[in-house]
Amino acid sequence: MKPYFKKIAILLVATIAFASCSKEVNETEMNELEGLTKIRELSNSTHTIELYSKKGELTVGFNEIKLRILDNTSDIFVKNAQVSWMPVMHMMMMNHSCPKSTVEKVADEGNLYEGYIMFQMAENASEYWDLTIDYTINGVDYSITSEIDVLATEKRTVNSFTGSDNERYLVTYIEPTEPKVAINDMKIGVWKMENMMSFPMVNDYTVKIDPRMPSMGNHSSPNNENATQSNPGDFYEGKLSLTMTGYWKINLQLAKADGIILKGEEITSNVESSSIFFEIEF
Amino acid sequence: MRNLSTVFLLFLGFGFLSAQNKEKDTTKIIQLKEIVLIGKKAAIYQNQAKSLGSIDEYLNKSSRINMIKRGAYAWEPIINNMATERTLVTIDGMRIFGACTDKMDPITSYVEVTNLSEATVKDGQSGSLFGNTIGGSIDLKRNKSSFGEKKLEVQFQSGFESNNSQKILVSSVNFKNDIFYFDLDVMSRNAENYSAANNQEVLYSQFNKLNFSNILGFKIKENKLLETSVIYDKATDVGYPALTMDVSLAEALITSVKYEVIPKNSTIENWESKIYFNTIKHVMDDTTRPNVPIHMDMPGWSETFGFYTKLTYSFDKHHFLVNLNSFYNKSLAEMTMYPNNPNENLMFMLTWPDVRTLYNGVFLEDTFNVSKNSNLTLNISLGNHLNTVTSQFGLESLQIFYPEMSDKKNRFLKSFGANYHFSKSGFHYHFGVAYSERAPSVSEGYGFYLFNSFDGYDNIGNPNLKNESAFESNFSIGLKKEKFRIKANASYFYFYDYIIAKTDSSLSPMTIGANGVRVYSALENAAILNTGLSFEYFINQFFTWNIQTSYALGKTNDNQNLPFISPFSYISSLSFKKNKLISEIQFVGNATQSNFNPEFGEDQTPNFAIVNINAGYTFKFDKNDLMMKIGVENLFDKNYSTYADWNNIPRMGRNFYVNLNYGF
């Protein structure tokens, strides 16, 4: 009686585990594109790579990008690739890259890979971005390079400047993507330009924020919290309180760990705006 | 504060001394209330000088009531030197809440003199019949017929005032018979800008108003009555010269159904139940103002459902009153600012975040006849007051200031009072003590960047405020003789957690040009003392001389002055009455306001005195009457403003008026 019972129990557990597992796969496959819009396809002779984002376009600032790799012959999405990317701006006099993340698989069972790229400038008539995606499948290396469109935004979300320490910095607005009249969780990215192609994240600084409404007497809001890092390598997180809808200018100051201000000015009755700021309108 | 207590003790001492002279008499016991007669009733019984004056003008006659004036229209009544938050104004027991965040629409602005017969003014906690109050209450009583011999009355009234070209037109129909009555009146007022002294035009002081009122009464059975009532009031293009904004529309619909039983030969005297609903829309904007830094709209809405059931019965030496009452109010107000750059998004906020207030309360009162000459009234009021912020947008807005704030706040409110009355051979004495509590108003609890143009601060509500409470004692003493009447009264309120907005210098004002931001907070203690003295002397059968004076003090716990406390004020009049002719000369004045507080935007208001004269005559025709009243206010065209005039706005200069009443 006893061993028999045990066998049934094992069988039962295995069935449940298997059932729930296969269900997950289906749901992942079905849902992984939900809320995403295709930006464009890049292809070579063997594969087609589809780029996705929420907005369906790439703009100046922080872009969360998802992609999947289609095997052109088998018509099956590749689930086990190692992927990396390199965006490059081709300017008249030089080329440079921008801050970017590694590319990781979203879910083991799914087809999507994700990462971010922070474009600090838009394309124009004579200058353009391209994106190289290098990927390895079962030990074989592949690569695709293709021109991409990076559009300008109406509102400023990126500050690119030389700090008082003579280093070049990039300070970028990440969240809230949908600001509310409330205390919003704010996320900011801070990178240093080590050279034309390398932009490591800066650690242990503070981004001081001071939201203002220039159309309404340049008033501020209470209970904001400056953005700081929880752990090295993280984005900077703070609290942004917005007391009404409309156009807000979020004045910034970038401070080192010792408190020295690298860039930006405090808002006073004489100083209406800092030299570095973000703009939002909702 | 110490001075205040001393003055009060002196008054008490005077009261006790006077109480010593007891004599036996059977004079009817006087209740602790004051009746201001309004409308037709006043015209008939009191020979009011100006029958078509505004309801504000009528109420202002009471020595307990003052008016905060932001223009020519919709004055805010203050009872015992306490404004809307600390008082209770009802229309036939109905709770109604203004829809304006700037208190530009007190309840009194939605009714008209022709709708009303009288206003019952009660002091302090004794006014808690329909809800919690600290300062007192005004219950406005509708004007209506009663069952009786079949009668149809039609009246036309018209009035004109020279100063602001105010044109008043009224028509009313009253019908009654044994089982039915019907009262209808329609009134319109239309006024242009008024002028202060020397023809100085006060811009944005115009107003237009249309008021419709109907009451239907049916006798269901002997002693049983069903009554429906509707008031529709619509004011348009109302200017508020003391403010930065005007009102393009203030619209109210006030409805009720009442069931009343008056048993015969029963200990139950009267049982009255009513359900009611009212809705108010108030549209404030600055469209007509030139040179505003930013154009803005501030509409507000207030809806109230309510009911009460009130029973009075007597047995032995007791007279009981029980009232159960509930209301559910929704208050919502928005602000939209239009940036000068038309491509920018509108700036929007909720200034009242859709706050729902559910109140359930009970009021019990027993008047006990201690002796032939004296009675003792004890009352208690208990209520549950629940606020809910319904708008998620509004809740998140307030959570900017109060991150831990919940959408609900429940308060239990209690009050009790004891009043002793004694009267004999024309002598009357009254002494009372009470304790009362109130919940913060919607603005005090949940207001979001409400600009107060008096002190120049943006005000932020505070949902964590404690209930405000007050210990109150009051006394009055009077003597009525054939030739004269004299009465002195005083009341003293000692507050705990007195709600007032305090400056928070860390906050940045939203309104362009504001001085800063204040957050509602509480003073540990505060005190208000009110005193009044009135004297009436019947010189002969034609002439009567009357003088009324009042004085008040209001102090915070660190001996600062509270705002809007009346300086010494007086009204003295000599009236003449013979047959169908009445006439009166009146002196009205205030002493210099010496107790003011610049912190609250006050400055010293100089003293003033003005003279008013009026006369009335009733012409009798075959079957019809024509009553004519003429008068002049501010005869000497004095330039003045009172302590309660918002931002020292000058009052009306010389004004001639004529009121005609034609009835058939």
Side-chain angles (χ1 to χ4, degrees):
Chain A
M1 187 69 194
K2 220 175 173 186
Y4 183 61
F5 176 75
K6 210 173 172 182
K7 270 180 197 165
I8 290 182
I10 290 167
L11 198 70
L12 209 70
V13 169
T15 315
I16 291 168
F18 182 74
S20 52
C21 198
S22 64
K23 202 179 165 199
E24 217 165 70
V25 171
N26 289 339
E27 273 184 7
T28 313
E29 278 189 341
M30 273 166 63
N31 295 338
E32 61 183 2
L33 287 180
E34 204 177 287
L36 295 176
T37 310
K38 194 187 278 180
I39 301 166
R40 60 167 298 154
E41 291 179 357
L42 290 66
S43 52
N44 56 17
S45 56
T46 50
H47 296 96
T48 302
I49 297 182
E50 299 170 354
L51 297 184
Y52 290 89
S53 78
K54 277 182 185 160
K55 284 186 289 183
E57 58 182 21
L58 298 172
T59 58
V60 168
F62 186 83
N63 292 266
E64 260 181 1
I65 301 166
K66 292 194 167 58
L67 60 87
R68 57 183 184 179
I69 304 165
L70 184 71
D71 187 318
N72 288 345
T73 39
S74 69
D75 214 22
I76 291 172
F77 289 106
V78 179
K79 287 188 163 72
N80 61 341
Q82 282 87 52
V83 186
S84 67
W85 53 18
M86 176 55 85
V88 176
M89 176 71 197
H90 299 268
M91 296 180 77
M92 305 286 276
M93 311 293 288
M94 58 174 178
N95 292 349
H96 66 77
S97 184
C98 62
K100 63 184 194 318
S101 68
T102 55
V103 184
E104 308 291 344
K105 199 74 192 294
V106 176
D108 286 348
E109 313 299 329
N111 301 323
L112 283 183
Y113 303 78
E114 67 180 350
Y116 70 79
I117 302 175
M118 200 292 284
F119 299 104
Q120 69 270 51
M121 61 186 288
E123 64 189 15
N124 58 44
S126 49
E127 298 168 319
Y128 68 95
W129 285 93
D130 68 21
L131 181 65
T132 300
I133 299 177
D134 297 317
Y135 55 105
T136 309
I137 304 167
N138 300 329
V140 185
D141 294 338
Y142 303 88
S143 182
I144 298 180
T145 300
S146 174
E147 202 173 308
I148 49 170
D149 291 328
V150 176
L151 308 173
T153 51
E154 263 182 63
K155 300 284 177 281
R156 189 198 281 209
T157 55
V158 180
N159 291 279
S160 165
F161 56 88
T162 305
S164 56
D165 56 357
N166 272 325
E167 299 273 6
R168 274 202 76 78
Y169 290 99
L170 291 165
V171 176
T172 302
Y173 180 95
I174 300 174
E175 279 177 11
T177 47
E178 281 168 20
K180 289 194 291 184
V181 177
I183 295 185
N184 296 269
D185 290 327
M186 190 172 201
K187 209 183 262 182
I188 296 173
V190 185
W191 295 271
K192 190 185 271 190
M193 184 171 164
E194 219 168 44
N195 57 51
M196 285 297 176
M197 293 296 152
S198 169
F199 296 80
M201 196 174 259
V202 169
N203 292 323
D204 271 345
Y205 284 20
T206 298
V207 186
K208 296 187 175 182
I209 58 169
D210 186 355
R212 298 273 171 168
M213 285 202 110
S215 318
M216 197 62 202
N218 214 35
H219 73 276
S220 184
S221 66
N223 293 336
N224 291 288
E225 279 174 26
N226 293 331
T228 53
Q229 264 181 326
S230 310
N231 297 300
D234 285 357
F235 292 124
Y236 286 69
E237 290 180 328
K239 300 281 183 195
L240 172 68
S241 71
L242 303 170
T243 50
M244 62 175 94
T245 68
Y247 170 75
W248 287 87
K249 189 177 207 174
I250 304 158
N251 295 287
L252 306 171
Q253 285 178 285
L254 181 65
K256 286 208 298 190
D258 58 10
I260 290 174
I261 303 289
L262 296 172
K263 182 76 175 176
E265 297 75 32
E266 201 173 327
I267 308 305
T268 62
S269 48
N270 300 322
V271 182
E272 265 189 22
S273 171
S274 171
S275 52
I276 53 173
F277 59 88
F278 300 135
E279 294 172 299
I280 52 172
E281 190 167 25
F282 68 111
Chain B
M1 195 74 158
R2 237 179 98 204
N3 293 344
L4 202 64
S5 311
T6 318
V7 175
F8 179 64
L9 284 175
L10 276 174
F11 265 92
L12 280 187
F14 175 52
F16 283 125
L17 279 177
S18 320
Q20 306 288 309
N21 317 316
K22 284 184 183 172
E23 276 175 48
K24 293 225 165 189
D25 200 291
T26 52
T27 316
K28 201 185 163 202
I29 286 156
I30 299 162
Q31 289 292 322
L32 183 69
K33 65 182 176 189
E34 183 185 5
I35 307 283
V36 179
L37 296 167
I38 309 172
K40 274 179 272 181
K41 211 166 175 179
I44 293 160
Y45 299 118
Q46 272 206 330
N47 292 310
Q48 284 297 333
K50 192 175 170 184
S51 52
L52 294 176
S54 69
I55 176 166
D56 305 332
E57 288 172 307
Y58 275 96
L59 291 175
N60 216 359
K61 289 194 177 102
S62 163
S63 59
R64 290 181 175 83
I65 301 176
N66 281 299
M67 290 285 172
I68 296 178
K69 304 166 205 82
R70 297 169 172 89
Y73 185 79
W75 298 348
E76 181 189 356
I78 31 184
I79 311 173
N80 285 323
N81 291 288
M82 288 176 244
T84 307
E85 300 81 15
R86 294 186 172 84
T87 60
L88 185 62
V89 180
T90 49
I91 299 173
D92 273 338
M94 292 185 280
R95 298 295 300 265
I96 303 172
F97 296 86
C100 176
T101 51
D102 287 355
K103 303 205 280 181
M104 287 146 84
D105 69 334
I107 308 319
T108 41
S109 69
Y110 293 112
V111 284
E112 258 303 343
V113 287
T114 46
N115 307 155
L116 301 173
S117 61
E118 62 184 45
T120 308
V121 184
K122 288 196 170 185
D123 267 329
Q125 187 271 346
S126 67
S128 311
L129 177 57
F130 293 108
N132 287 72
T133 176
I134 289 180
S137 69
I138 303 174
D139 188 33
L140 300 163
K141 296 256 192 311
R142 300 290 306 278
N143 188 19
K144 60 180 185 193
S145 306
S146 50
F147 303 116
E149 205 175 306
K150 188 174 169 182
K151 191 175 173 189
L152 174 70
E153 271 185 329
V154 179
Q155 287 195 23
F156 292 104
Q157 297 178 68
S158 64
F160 181 75
E161 306 204 8
S162 68
N163 187 294
N164 57 354
S165 304
Q166 184 178 173
K167 293 171 276 294
I168 308 161
L169 282 173
V170 188
S171 65
S172 60
V173 179
N174 305 90
F175 174 80
K176 65 173 178 180
N177 64 22
D178 283 344
I179 55 156
F180 177 72
Y181 58 76
F182 170 88
D183 299 283
L184 171 74
D185 70 73
V186 182
M187 178 176 218
S188 81
R189 289 180 186 271
N190 175 301
E192 288 160 27
N193 288 337
Y194 74 82
S195 299
N198 305 315
N199 288 323
Q200 282 203 301
E201 187 178 4
V202 177
L203 292 174
Y204 314 109
S205 61
Q206 81 290 345
F207 62 88
N208 288 293
K209 176 171 172 138
L210 178 71
N211 183 284
F212 167 93
S213 156
N214 173 243
I215 292 182
L216 284 173
F218 309 90
K219 193 184 273 185
I220 306 171
K221 270 184 185 172
E222 196 62 31
N223 312 327
K224 284 182 185 144
L225 158 76
L226 191 70
E227 188 185 277
T228 65
S229 158
V230 179
I231 298 174
Y232 173 73
D233 189 277
K234 184 180 178 183
T236 51
D237 190 22
V238 182
Y240 288 82
L243 304 178
T244 51
M245 299 182 83
D246 299 314
V247 168
S248 56
L249 176 71
E251 193 176 28
L253 179 67
I254 299 164
T255 59
S256 66
V257 179
K258 181 177 89 170
Y259 177 68
E260 191 175 357
V261 184
I262 308 166
K264 274 183 183 167
N265 308 321
S266 163
T267 52
I268 295 174
E269 291 172 358
N270 179 295
W271 178 43
E272 181 183 313
S273 303
K274 179 179 283 180
I275 54 167
Y276 58 88
F277 169 68
N278 54 71
T279 173
I280 293 177
K281 182 181 180 187
H282 191 265
V283 183
M284 176 167 42
D285 60 52
D286 53 10
T287 329
T288 56
R289 300 291 182 102
N291 310 322
V292 287
I294 193 158
H295 165 61
M296 56 177 91
D297 284 344
M298 295 181 70
W301 297 265
S302 166
E303 283 176 11
T304 311
F305 289 94
F307 100 97
Y308 70 81
T309 181
K310 191 175 76 171
L311 185 74
T312 51
Y313 66 104
S314 300
F315 72 85
D316 206 10
K317 289 177 171 175
H318 293 271
H319 182 84
F320 289 104
L321 169 65
V322 180
N323 187 30
L324 295 173
N325 64 92
S326 297
F327 70 81
Y328 181 70
N329 170 260
K330 169 191 167 140
S331 291
L332 172 70
E334 309 172 343
M335 170 147 75
T336 305
M337 285 155 288
Y338 298 83
N340 294 327
N341 172 1
N343 297 323
E344 242 177 60
N345 281 5
L346 298 183
M347 293 180 266
F348 177 86
M349 50 167 68
L350 280 183
T351 46
W352 276 351
D354 195 354
V355 180
R356 311 293 172 95
T357 305
L358 175 64
Y359 177 87
N360 293 297
V362 58
F363 176 84
L364 303 165
E365 186 181 78
D366 177 24
T367 302
F368 170 68
N369 292 330
V370 181
S371 71
K372 259 190 215 167
N373 309 113
S374 61
N375 67 12
L376 179 67
T377 303
L378 299 172
N379 77 54
I380 179 166
S381 153
L382 301 170
N384 194 72
H385 181 105
L386 173 68
N387 284 130
T388 309
V389 178
T390 334
S391 159
Q392 188 63 23
F393 184 100
L395 181 64
E396 287 178 349
S397 302
L398 281 165
Q399 281 170 340
I400 291 175
F401 290 90
Y402 309 99
E404 305 301 316
M405 174 188 167
S406 128
D407 62 336
K408 283 192 167 54
K409 178 86 183 176
N410 197 48
R411 295 165 186 276
F412 185 71
L413 302 170
K414 55 199 175 294
S415 76
F416 26 86
N419 286 286
Y420 177 77
H421 301 263
F422 173 85
S423 63
K424 187 163 56 166
S425 34
F427 173 78
H428 159 252
Y429 169 80
H430 154 257
F431 179 73
V433 287
Y435 170 81
S436 55
E437 293 176 343
R438 73 165 180 107
S441 69
V442 172
S443 289
E444 288 168 338
Y446 303 97
F448 195 66
Y449 286 102
L450 297 176
F451 180 64
N452 176 335
S453 62
F454 195 73
D455 57 27
Y457 283 83
D458 280 334
N459 286 267
I460 306 286
N462 180 354
N464 303 321
L465 287 172
K466 285 187 194 165
N467 295 336
E468 181 179 292
S469 61
F471 279 106
E472 168 202 343
S473 65
N474 55 70
F475 101 98
S476 70
I477 178 167
L479 186 61
K480 260 188 207 176
K481 290 287 177 195
E482 205 179 307
K483 272 296 208 186
F484 69 92
R485 284 179 198 175
I486 185 164
K487 187 181 176 188
N489 64 280
S491 59
Y492 179 77
F493 295 84
Y494 190 79
F495 292 88
Y496 294 87
D497 304 311
Y498 182 92
I499 298 171
I500 201 156
K502 281 187 194 165
T503 307
D504 183 339
S505 50
S506 72
L507 299 176
S508 154
M510 181 272 297
T511 305
I512 296 172
N515 296 331
V517 179
R518 286 185 172 167
V519 178
Y520 278 100
S521 167
L523 298 175
E524 206 174 313
N525 299 115
I528 293 178
L529 170 71
N530 302 287
T531 64
L533 186 69
S534 66
F535 179 67
E536 201 170 13
Y537 184 65
F538 307 102
I539 300 166
N540 58 35
Q541 65 178 119
F542 304 120
F543 286 97
T544 305
W545 179 57
N546 185 310
I547 183 160
Q548 250 184 47
T549 66
S550 64
Y551 179 70
L553 269 177
K555 297 281 184 192
T556 67
N557 46 348
D558 45 6
N559 210 28
Q560 301 291 305
N561 291 307
L562 291 175
F564 287 111
I565 302 292
S566 174
F568 179 78
S569 72
Y570 58 91
I571 304 178
S572 179
S573 65
L574 183 67
S575 53
F576 172 80
K577 188 175 169 187
K578 190 181 178 188
N579 300 332
K580 292 171 213 153
L581 175 71
I582 54 163
S583 182
E584 186 184 39
I585 180 163
Q586 202 181 44
F587 299 86
V588 181
N590 275 9
T592 303
Q593 184 190 17
S594 49
N595 299 310
F596 59 95
N597 193 338
E599 170 95 8
F600 299 112
E602 289 191 308
D603 52 12
Q604 186 163 51
T605 309
N607 65 332
F608 71 86
I610 58 163
V611 176
N612 304 325
I613 296 177
N614 63 68
Y617 192 81
T618 307
F619 300 92
K620 287 262 180 204
F621 299 105
D622 201 15
K623 275 182 176 172
N624 312 329
D625 286 353
L626 175 68
M627 194 164 64
M628 186 168 87
K629 313 251 173 168
I630 53 168
V632 53
E633 292 165 326
N634 195 0
L635 176 66
F636 298 111
D637 202 32
K638 283 266 185 198
N639 188 21
Y640 75 106
S641 73
T642 73
Y643 79 99
D645 286 307
W646 202 259
N647 290 335
N648 297 325
I649 179 136
R651 300 291 304 281
M652 199 181 266
R654 189 185 296 120
N655 178 36
F656 294 95
Y657 64 83
V658 55
N659 290 174
L660 294 172
N661 184 340
Y662 187 65
F664 55 93

